[in-house]
Amino acid sequence: MTVSDPVSESSSAAPDRKVELGRDRPIRLDCGVEIGPITVAYQTYGRLNADKSNAILICHALTGDHYVADPHPITGKPGWWSELVGPGRLFDTDRYFLICSNVLGGCMGTTGPMEINPATGQPWGLGFPVITIGDMVQVQARLIDHLGIGQLFCVVGGSMGGMQVLEWAQSYPDRVFSAIPIAAAARHSAQNIAFHEVGRQAIVADPDWCDGNYLLEGKRPHRGLAVARMAAHITYLSEPALHQKFGRNLQNREAVAYGFDADFQVESYLRHQGSTFVDRFDANSYLYITRAMDYFDLAAENGGVLANAFRGTRTRFCVVSFTSDWLFPTAESRAVVHALNAVAANVSFVEIRSDKGHDAFLLDEPEFHATLTGFLNGAAAHRGLPGRGGASQ
Amino acid sequence: MTVSDPVSESSSAAPDRKVELGRDRPIRLDCGVEIGPITVAYQTYGRLNADKSNAILICHALTGDHYVADPHPITGKPGWWSELVGPGRLFDTDRYFLICSNVLGGCMGTTGPMEINPATGQPWGLGFPVITIGDMVQVQARLIDHLGIGQLFCVVGGSMGGMQVLEWAQSYPDRVFSAIPIAAAARHSAQNIAFHEVGRQAIVADPDWCDGNYLLEGKRPHRGLAVARMAAHITYLSEPALHQKFGRNLQNREAVAYGFDADFQVESYLRHQGSTFVDRFDANSYLYITRAMDYFDLAAENGGVLANAFRGTRTRFCVVSFTSDWLFPTAESRAVVHALNAVAANVSFVEIRSDKGHDAFLLDEPEFHATLTGFLNGAAAHRGLPGRGGASQ
């Protein structure tokens, strides 16, 4: 890995990486506040080639992190795309250099509300500035600078990760050779803002949230955060998936118990989703990151015309949606494709037939994986990268 | 109005009515518990005719009540179907005798967890037995007995009210001349159970819920109940309705405020829905009534074959769904229609084109209203009721 900037870098147990960015040149956020220095936690897989043309930036979703293909340090579970990363796999570590960083405002090592504010010596809490998808991407661009990479071969991500892909393509078109926004949208819908608001209200309704100062008070708003996660989790699945997985099956019993314990398997499952989430996620981070998604509206930033976001682009796009995704339905992806078509961009659009809902991008979906492999192979050939096994395609 | 049973009846400010039922013969609930006497609060409109053949039972939804066409005593708002009730209207008070009672487990006068348990002299709280849609209907049947009515001309209701309609048709087929289940289902889906569970968890997560004893403790779990309402409210609307009504419009400002106040109108709207709901609804009632809906599964009660619920029925059915209802989608109504077809029942099925989502049954939908009027007129003719203006049809 090449390090071009004179920045300090600490490395905990490999391959965890952290870098300090913005010490000499603070990062100006969309809200007008400047922050820096900040810490960015990231992970890499594979090796950067000599001309630095094989780097893929993977952008994680709302509650994801940079442990794409490593066991999660808290849960011990495999990384969220671990099946896709490795020699000969979709993200072929023999061919590509993969980078994923924890987003600004996150809670897995990158500067966010649970980290210490150097100015006060206390956790940022609600003193942390409100951030945007654009701010997250700006920080990622600083990381890419730090790694000495001019142009990324590809930027890819699902859900909020897909928003970041679109933001990259708008803000740094010359630095993005190809882009794969998956199960994403160019703006957060009213319904999605509403679901986020429910989650936020669940958190702030928890007295242990302590007006955002729970870390100072030695508390954690676990109950509120669990409710937020439960509500959100429903939106990640499809009704058919819930029906097939659980239906009205009862939990370890023959008949309903006429009570408020988890009678149905779907209740038990949801409670489990809520209770395990609070061990690995910070409530204030949840507030900030959901807010960043709410604010995302590429058309609004471009005079109300989404196509203006991509005018003149030479990036090759592959837009992917899933039929049963009702959180980021195909219509949202189609709007992106229409905008790209309007500026004669190079764009593929694939709607994958799946009953797995929004979370399909994290699950075993062979047609989806074949689509990404095909697109990456084609883009690699255009970029002049060697094919699988080292031969030029 | 004819009163046939020797029961005590008190009437608060007309036309509010309350009746005590089950003193001599307790009500055996599905959970096995017997309760009685209980109080049932109800409302009537129009006059019962001489042969008691013109009674329509209106069944209310989860958070509805018996104030169908009167101002709500707490909110002061018009009754939830007030536009449909009156002389010459859809529910023509010159022709029909309308009855609506607050459901068992409710919080507007009928016995429920916020009422006093005579055995203890304290609010029932979680000591209240867990109830079912069948229990609610059994209590309604007692009320109809009390009113001296053998057969109802029609049983009608939307959402949970529609579940009650289906339960009536199954349990008392000879007492239901016609039935109109609207935006309903013969069983609560896994996704809907999941949404209910989120609401319940939001309530029990509120420390002011006090393990269900908040009334004794002088507290109210307003924050948790408001979050439950907000989550549920999203499911009552459609994404297109939210988009048209609010889109990404900002709340009284030119640009986003980079904060966690209600920036978007949809956030402000949802918060308002939550905060006003807690003034008129009891948190424990919310637990009990959502649980009753979760448990509803007519097929399961009939050997797994929904058609068995209606075998031999002579009731005339009009099943209604709305295209944009994703909480009780048309597929659920279609399953009911298929079951009715399988037993050669007399059934009309109308899917109303509407972008208003599940709540369409409460809103101004002319095609929906025309459908109900046409069905009621036809059924009235078959029942031998005089037509509009008193002439026989």
Side-chain angles (χ1 to χ4, degrees):
Chain A
M1 195 188 70
T2 307
V3 175
S4 64
D5 283 4
V7 292
S8 60
E9 174 151 359
S10 63
S11 181
S12 59
D16 273 20
R17 295 178 190 281
K18 282 191 179 182
V19 61
E20 187 188 276
L21 298 172
R23 176 171 288 281
D24 299 331
R25 183 166 56 94
I27 292 152
R28 186 173 176 85
L29 303 174
D30 282 335
C31 65
V33 173
E34 292 193 337
I35 57 168
I38 63 167
T39 299
V40 173
Y42 68 103
Q43 197 62 292
T44 68
Y45 309 91
R47 297 170 69 101
L48 189 61
N49 62 9
D51 63 355
K52 302 173 184 170
S53 62
N54 71 334
I56 296 179
L57 178 69
I58 296 175
C59 301
H60 70 72
L62 166 53
T63 68
D65 49 49
H66 51 298
Y67 298 101
V68 178
D70 303 280
H72 193 278
I74 295 172
T75 67
K77 290 185 179 172
W80 51 275
W81 258 357
S82 55
E83 295 295 317
L84 307 191
V85 174
R89 294 190 174 180
L90 195 161
F91 296 115
D92 188 343
T93 47
D94 287 340
R95 303 175 71 193
Y96 306 121
F97 177 61
L98 310 176
I99 310 155
C100 183
S101 61
N102 188 213
V103 295
L104 181 68
C107 51
M108 288 303 290
T110 293
T111 297
M114 74 177 276
E115 301 294 330
I116 300 297
N117 177 355
T120 66
Q122 294 184 336
W124 281 94
L126 291 196
F128 195 73
V130 167
I131 51 169
T132 65
I133 300 293
D135 295 330
M136 295 176 184
V137 165
Q138 187 188 180
V139 168
Q140 290 165 352
R142 291 281 188 107
L143 172 66
I144 301 308
D145 291 342
H146 160 74
L147 296 175
I149 298 168
Q151 186 192 56
L152 292 159
F153 164 59
C154 185
V155 185
V156 58
S159 195
M160 186 182 81
M163 289 179 166
Q164 293 164 58
V165 173
L166 295 171
E167 178 75 32
W168 262 98
Q170 177 208 232
S171 299
Y172 306 97
D174 296 336
R175 303 190 70 173
V176 182
F177 183 78
S178 66
I180 311 178
I182 304 161
R187 58 128 174 79
H188 216 48
S189 71
Q191 188 179 67
N192 288 0
I193 294 172
F195 274 117
H196 276 172
E197 176 66 2
V198 167
R200 286 191 294 263
Q201 289 298 314
I203 291 167
V204 306
D206 188 333
D208 288 343
W209 182 63
C210 306
D211 293 323
N213 296 316
Y214 49 88
L215 292 176
L216 277 176
E217 306 277 345
K219 297 182 176 174
R220 292 291 181 102
H222 279 175
R223 287 167 300 182
L225 182 58
V227 169
R229 175 62 167 182
M230 290 172 64
H233 197 78
I234 300 174
T235 70
Y236 300 153
L237 308 177
S238 68
E239 200 282 323
L242 278 168
H243 182 68
Q244 285 164 32
K245 195 167 185 174
F246 305 110
R248 296 179 46 84
N249 294 339
L250 297 177
Q251 178 75 4
N252 304 325
R253 50 183 67 123
E254 294 288 307
V256 297
Y258 294 106
F260 296 108
D261 287 342
D263 246 355
F264 296 99
Q265 289 178 7
V266 67
E267 294 176 293
S268 175
Y269 170 77
L270 264 195
R271 290 185 188 185
H272 177 75
Q273 292 296 328
S275 66
T276 56
F277 181 62
V278 302
D279 293 331
R280 71 173 181 87
F281 215 83
D282 174 62
N284 282 338
S285 267
Y286 198 84
L287 301 183
Y288 278 88
I289 299 177
T290 55
R291 202 49 161 168
M293 292 178 74
D294 291 355
Y295 281 169
F296 189 62
D297 188 347
L298 272 190
E301 293 174 34
N302 288 277
V305 180
L306 183 57
N308 288 345
F310 307 114
R311 208 163 290 281
T313 186
R314 287 177 300 175
T315 302
R316 309 171 76 85
F317 289 86
C318 179
V319 179
V320 181
S321 70
F322 299 94
T323 50
S324 58
D325 183 352
W326 58 278
L327 193 65
F328 289 84
T330 290
E332 300 285 1
S333 285
R334 195 169 279 127
V336 172
V337 172
H338 285 171
L340 289 167
N341 285 336
V343 296
N346 186 328
V347 55
S348 305
F349 172 41
V350 181
E351 183 187 30
I352 306 288
R353 185 167 299 279
S354 165
D355 61 9
K356 298 194 176 76
H358 184 61
D359 264 359
F361 81 92
L362 296 169
L363 302 172
D364 183 26
E365 281 287 355
E367 188 189 346
F368 165 52
H369 297 162
T371 297
L372 263 55
T373 300
F375 176 78
L376 284 173
N377 283 340
H382 279 279
R383 187 66 183 88
L385 296 178
R388 186 169 292 184
S392 231
Q393 287 191 311
Chain B
M1 195 189 69
T2 307
V3 175
S4 64
D5 283 4
V7 291
S8 61
E9 174 151 358
S10 64
S11 181
S12 59
D16 272 20
R17 295 178 190 281
K18 282 191 179 181
V19 61
E20 187 188 276
L21 299 172
R23 175 171 288 280
D24 299 331
R25 183 164 56 94
I27 292 153
R28 186 172 176 85
L29 303 175
D30 283 334
C31 66
V33 172
E34 291 194 338
I35 56 167
I38 62 167
T39 299
V40 173
Y42 67 103
Q43 198 60 294
T44 67
Y45 308 91
R47 298 171 68 103
L48 188 62
N49 63 9
D51 62 356
K52 301 172 184 172
S53 62
N54 70 334
I56 296 179
L57 178 69
I58 297 175
C59 301
H60 70 71
L62 166 54
T63 67
D65 49 48
H66 51 298
Y67 298 101
V68 179
D70 304 279
H72 193 279
I74 296 172
T75 67
K77 289 185 179 172
W80 52 276
W81 258 357
S82 56
E83 294 296 317
L84 308 190
V85 173
R89 294 191 174 179
L90 195 161
F91 296 113
D92 188 343
T93 47
D94 287 340
R95 302 176 70 192
Y96 305 121
F97 177 61
L98 310 176
I99 310 156
C100 183
S101 62
N102 188 213
V103 294
L104 181 67
C107 51
M108 288 303 290
T110 293
T111 297
M114 73 177 277
E115 300 296 328
I116 299 298
N117 177 355
T120 65
Q122 292 184 338
W124 280 96
L126 291 195
F128 195 73
V130 167
I131 51 169
T132 65
I133 300 293
D135 295 331
M136 294 176 184
V137 165
Q138 188 188 179
V139 167
Q140 288 165 352
R142 291 281 188 107
L143 173 65
I144 301 308
D145 291 343
H146 161 75
L147 296 175
I149 298 168
Q151 186 192 57
L152 292 159
F153 165 59
C154 185
V155 185
V156 58
S159 196
M160 186 182 82
M163 289 178 165
Q164 294 165 57
V165 173
L166 295 172
E167 178 75 31
W168 261 99
Q170 176 208 233
S171 299
Y172 306 96
D174 296 336
R175 303 190 70 173
V176 182
F177 183 78
S178 66
I180 311 177
I182 304 160
R187 59 127 176 79
H188 216 48
S189 72
Q191 188 178 68
N192 287 1
I193 294 172
F195 275 117
H196 276 173
E197 176 65 3
V198 168
R200 286 190 295 262
Q201 290 298 314
I203 290 167
V204 306
D206 187 333
D208 288 343
W209 181 64
C210 305
D211 293 323
N213 297 316
Y214 49 88
L215 292 175
L216 277 175
E217 306 277 344
K219 296 181 176 175
R220 292 292 181 103
H222 278 175
R223 287 167 302 181
L225 182 58
V227 169
R229 175 62 167 182
M230 289 173 65
H233 197 78
I234 300 174
T235 70
Y236 302 153
L237 308 177
S238 68
E239 199 282 323
L242 277 168
H243 181 69
Q244 285 164 31
K245 195 165 185 175
F246 304 109
R248 295 180 46 84
N249 294 340
L250 298 176
Q251 179 74 2
N252 303 324
R253 47 183 70 121
E254 294 288 307
V256 297
Y258 294 107
F260 296 107
D261 287 341
D263 246 355
F264 296 99
Q265 288 177 8
V266 67
E267 293 176 292
S268 175
Y269 170 77
L270 263 195
R271 290 185 189 185
H272 177 75
Q273 292 296 327
S275 65
T276 55
F277 181 63
V278 301
D279 294 330
R280 71 173 180 87
F281 215 84
D282 174 61
N284 282 338
S285 267
Y286 198 85
L287 301 182
Y288 278 88
I289 299 178
T290 55
R291 201 50 160 168
M293 293 178 74
D294 290 355
Y295 280 170
F296 190 62
D297 188 347
L298 271 191
E301 292 175 34
N302 288 277
V305 181
L306 183 56
N308 288 345
F310 307 115
R311 208 163 290 281
T313 186
R314 287 177 299 175
T315 302
R316 309 171 77 84
F317 289 86
C318 180
V319 179
V320 181
S321 70
F322 299 95
T323 51
S324 59
D325 183 352
W326 58 278
L327 193 66
F328 288 85
T330 291
E332 300 284 1
S333 285
R334 196 169 279 128
V336 172
V337 172
H338 285 170
L340 290 167
N341 285 337
V343 297
N346 187 328
V347 54
S348 306
F349 172 41
V350 181
E351 184 186 30
I352 305 288
R353 186 167 298 279
S354 165
D355 62 8
K356 297 194 176 77
H358 183 61
D359 264 359
F361 82 92
L362 297 169
L363 302 172
D364 184 25
E365 281 288 355
E367 188 190 344
F368 164 52
H369 296 162
T371 297
L372 263 55
T373 300
F375 176 78
L376 284 173
N377 282 341
H382 279 279
R383 187 66 184 88
L385 296 178
R388 187 170 292 182
S392 231
Q393 287 189 313

